[in-house]
Structures are given as structure tokens and as C-alpha cells.
Amino acid sequence: MVGAELDAKPLIEDLYLAYTEILDDGDLRSWPDLFTDDGEYHIVAKENRDRGLPLALMRCESKGMIEDRVNAILQLSMYQPRVLRHLISALHVRPTPPDRGAPRFDVTANYAVFQTLADEETTVLSTGRYLDVVAIEHDTARFRKKVCVYDNPLVPNSLVYPL
Amino acid sequence: MVGAELDAKPLIEDLYLAYTEILDDGDLRSWPDLFTDDGEYHIVAKENRDRGLPLALMRCESKGMIEDRVNAILQLSMYQPRVLRHLISALHVRPTPPDRGAPRFDVTANYAVFQTLADEETTVLSTGRYLDVVAIEHDTARFRKKVCVYDNPLVPNSLVYPL
Amino acid sequence: MVGAELDAKPLIEDLYLAYTEILDDGDLRSWPDLFTDDGEYHIVAKENRDRGLPLALMRCESKGMIEDRVNAILQLSMYQPRVLRHLISALHVRPTPPDRGAPRFDVTANYAVFQTLADEETTVLSTGRYLDVVAIEHDTARFRKKVCVYDNPLVPNSLVYPL
């Protein structure tokens, strides 16, 4: 790792901690703050991605769309209580050309999300890979683009929630 | 991260490695050594914690109670062979006021515990979150308090073992 | 950690990132490159290992045997599409005596491998522990020996693939 990468890595790790904490135990309303103003969020099936198909289960191409998604989730998900739990692998961090002076990094990692529904056993909701671009602005790491590539094409209907 | 936190982090990471290794593959008799003399160990359901209910599945309020629990487990768990396997997320480490001169840190992390019973498939025994306080004494990190908050209120009867 | 260990740790972490990426999303043909020329790869059941039995599910005692295994997998596994996804815990890194001048480290970690087959739910294929020896040569970490100790003696027939 070079200097800039060494300095950025703890900031990037903090971003992934915050991501996990907000989705599993926190207030979803603060989730869009983890994205840059031009931030994007995509959920795509590995099968489609491997074939080069442009299909996506969720595609938010601006921070406004991310905020809209959060509002939709908060209205929809009240009726079915459930707990999600993320495990994310070690992060693979590689520098990528900066954008308007902000250092940027490609960050990849494996994830598993477990789901606990009332009166049911805990199951594996989704496994997959993050293919992200993280920007550092004012000593804070944020997602310029987050792409969740999920392994299982059999997506539960309930998957309106971020992975 | 500030200086003290940077110095402490490898010690804290070693503590979690030791915790996992003892529970999954080691000698449970050495598990109480991971706690300070006034160490506490709690297992509580997320649902109860979220509601502010004081219920706990396991509550050890002193190192003596932790040692008693270990003795009980060693006597009980002989008849049913099983293997546990822990995965713990990246640790979120934050300094908290020291106690009698010992630096202390709030440490949170997600966990998943997998269980393998004879002649059965490996399953997810429990997922949840650690909400811990770690103290550094004589260059060694130990749990001043470990709180395991588990997601699934349907706890298997067999859960007498630490998470 | 002492100096050599501090310097080596990022290299070792990169090795495990590459291991995961190749097995889950990459080209298996580049997998043998992660081993030293005298590298070994073993898969053994925890039960057999605990009993001191010399049985192994897979035993490659040279890089040539590892390459043979890769060729066999590439021919066999075409007919059943499936996705594997690894999660590996924090690495426990300890120096061990060097071999012909190359620094070496004992590295242990927990792993979970998830499997997604077409039209089925994602399941836990295997959990267990890595007991590895990593050598540093020319600023690159490679496996001198990788031993995967899996928890569940009920191994799926399909387990011809590395863990």
C-alpha cells in the first residue's frame, strides 16, 4: 500500500462499520448520508452481471433516489418485524483516479446477510460481493457508487431493503 | 483514531481472536482468563433489549459467576458432541473513560455462530451483536463487560454455551 | 507484534483476499500461483484431526498436485452451475522459523463457505478453520502449506472444490 491508501483505509473501514450499523440496528434515515451528493446505489444479480445484462433489482442513480428508497422502505416495512445482520469480509482497497480533487478508491468485499423473522430460524438471506467506489472528502469516506452483486437469483419478494 | 486507540487496537483484536479460538477449538477452562477480575458476561435477546426489559438468558456479574458457568457447561455438554464456529465482523473501537487508571474502550461487532451436530447439516445457531467494554491492563486487553445481544428470540434449549 | 510481523501482515492479508477472490469470482487456473513451489494443500475433517487420524479428503503434497486438482475440477464442474462465497475471520498471524531465508508465519482463521445452487436457497456449505503456513518471498506472501479443517463430517459429494 502507498501513503494515501494507508491514510484512507481507516476512514474507509469506518464507512463500512457505519453502513452495517445503520442497516442492522440504526436509523435508516441516516443511511443516505453515507453517500456523496452524486452517490449511486445498485443491487444486481451475479448471473445478470456475469452475462453483461443491464438488469438491476434496485437502481438509485442519485442521492435523491436513495432518499426516496428509504422513505418507501420506512412506509412498507412496518408490518413484518425482522432483524438483519451483516457480516462483511476484509476490504480490498485499491486507488482509482481522483474526481474533482477528491481521492477515490475501488473497494471490494464479500458479504453475507442473515435474516431473523418472528418465530422462524435464522437463515441466510443473501450472500454476494460489493463492488464499490469510495470518495474521501473532508476526511470522511462516502460511497460514490455502491454495487451489491448478489449470488442467488431467487430473491425473496421482501428484498426491498438494502443489502 | 487517536494515539492510545491505535496502540490498543492490536491488543483488542488479539482478545477477540483468543475468545473465538477458545470457544470453537480450545479449552473452555481458560475462557474466564479473558475477563478482568470484576468482569461481567451477559446474553440478552435483542427484542428485550430494544424494549428496555431487564431479562437476560445468561447473566454473570462477576468472574466467579463466569467460572461457575464454565464448570456447569463442562459437566452438561459431554453427551452431545457438537462443533461451534464463530465469525466476528470488523471491530468498532471507541475510547471510554478509564477506570482506576486502566484505559478502556467500547467495542462493538456483529457475530454469527454456526453449529454442526453429528449427522446434521451445519446451521446458523445465532447471529447478533457484541456490546463490550474492554480494559487494557499490563499490555493485555480483557473484557470488563461483554454483552451478547442475539437476534432470534427462538433460542435453542441447548444454548447454555457462550456466544 | 514485532517489526517483521507488522511488515508482513498486509502482504498476508492480500494473500487471503486473492484466495477468496479467485475461488468465488475468479479464474481457478490462477489459484496454484498462490502457493510456493513446494506448497501443499490439505482438506481434513476436524473429527479425524482431533483423533489424530491421518485421513484427508484432499491431499496435494506439491504444486504439481495442486495444478492437477485444478485441471480435474475444471473438467468436472461444468455441468452444475453454482456460486461459492467465502467469509474469513480476522487472521491470527504468528512468526515461525524461516526456511531458506524466507520469513514464515503460522496463520490461523475461521472460515464459512456459502453455496448457491440454481433454484435453491443459499446454504452453509462448510465451516471450519484454516491452519496455514505462509512464506514471504520477494515481497509476496504465498502458502507453503494450507490445511482446511472442516467441521462437518457429512461432506457433500460435490466437495471437490477447494474450501
Side-chain angles (χ1 to χ4, degrees), chain B residues 22-154:
Chain B
I22 287 172
L23 291 187
D24 291 352
D25 296 290
D27 183 351
L28 197 60
R29 272 166 293 217
S30 59
W31 185 65
D33 297 339
L34 303 183
F35 291 81
T36 61
D37 287 341
D38 56 355
E40 299 177 41
Y41 184 75
H42 304 255
I43 300 182
V44 298
K46 176 171 164 59
E47 196 177 16
N48 290 330
R49 186 180 171 89
D50 288 350
R51 291 181 183 175
L53 298 177
L55 302 168
L57 183 69
M58 196 186 291
R59 180 183 287 130
C60 299
E61 296 190 319
S62 69
K63 193 164 179 170
M65 288 177 73
I66 292 170
E67 287 164 348
D68 287 348
R69 171 63 59 165
V70 166
N71 289 330
I73 293 168
L74 290 173
Q75 287 169 12
L76 277 170
S77 63
M78 290 307 172
Y79 61 96
Q80 166 82 310
R82 59 175 183 162
V83 182
L84 298 184
R85 189 63 53 197
H86 284 71
L87 284 182
I88 301 177
S89 74
L91 306 177
H92 196 166
V93 175
R94 278 164 286 200
T96 191
D99 182 42
R100 283 160 287 168
R104 301 202 305 174
F105 298 88
D106 285 325
V107 182
T108 54
N110 279 356
Y111 75 81
V113 184
F114 303 90
Q115 176 174 260
T116 303
L117 296 171
D119 303 319
E120 292 185 22
E121 296 211 339
T122 299
T123 56
V124 181
L125 176 67
S126 179
T127 59
R129 189 155 183 75
Y130 296 140
L131 303 173
D132 304 341
V133 179
V134 171
I136 313 283
E137 296 170 334
H138 313 297
D139 280 334
T140 302
R142 288 200 180 83
F143 293 113
R144 167 62 186 81
K145 185 172 189 176
K146 186 166 186 75
V147 180
C148 309
V149 183
Y150 60 97
D151 294 331
N152 199 336
L154 290 182

Side-chain angles (χ1 to χ4, degrees), chain A residues 43-48 50 110-112 124-130 148-155 159 163, chain C residues 24-25 81-86 113-123:
Chain A
I43 302 183
V44 297
K46 175 172 166 56
E47 197 176 16
N48 290 332
D50 288 351
N110 279 355
Y111 74 81
V124 181
L125 175 67
S126 178
T127 59
R129 190 154 183 76
Y130 295 141
C148 309
V149 183
Y150 60 96
D151 295 331
N152 200 336
L154 290 180
V155 176
L159 190 51
L163 285 177
Chain C
D24 291 353
D25 296 289
R82 58 175 183 164
V83 182
L84 298 184
R85 190 62 54 197
H86 284 71
V113 184
F114 303 90
Q115 177 174 259
T116 304
L117 296 171
D119 302 318
E120 293 185 22
E121 297 210 338
T122 299
T123 57

Side-chain angles (χ1 to χ4, degrees), chain C residues 22-23 26-32 69-70 73-74 77 161-162:
Chain C
I22 288 172
L23 292 187
D27 182 351
L28 197 59
R29 271 165 293 215
S30 59
W31 184 66
R69 171 63 60 166
V70 166
I73 293 167
L74 290 173
S77 62
Y161 208 82

Side-chain angles (χ1 to χ4, degrees), chain B residues 21 24-25 85-86 120 122, chain C residues 46 92 110 128-129 151-152:
Chain B
E21 289 169 6
D24 291 352
D25 296 290
R85 189 63 53 197
H86 284 71
E120 292 185 22
T122 299
Chain C
K46 176 171 165 57
H92 195 165
N110 280 355
R129 190 155 182 75
D151 295 332
N152 199 334

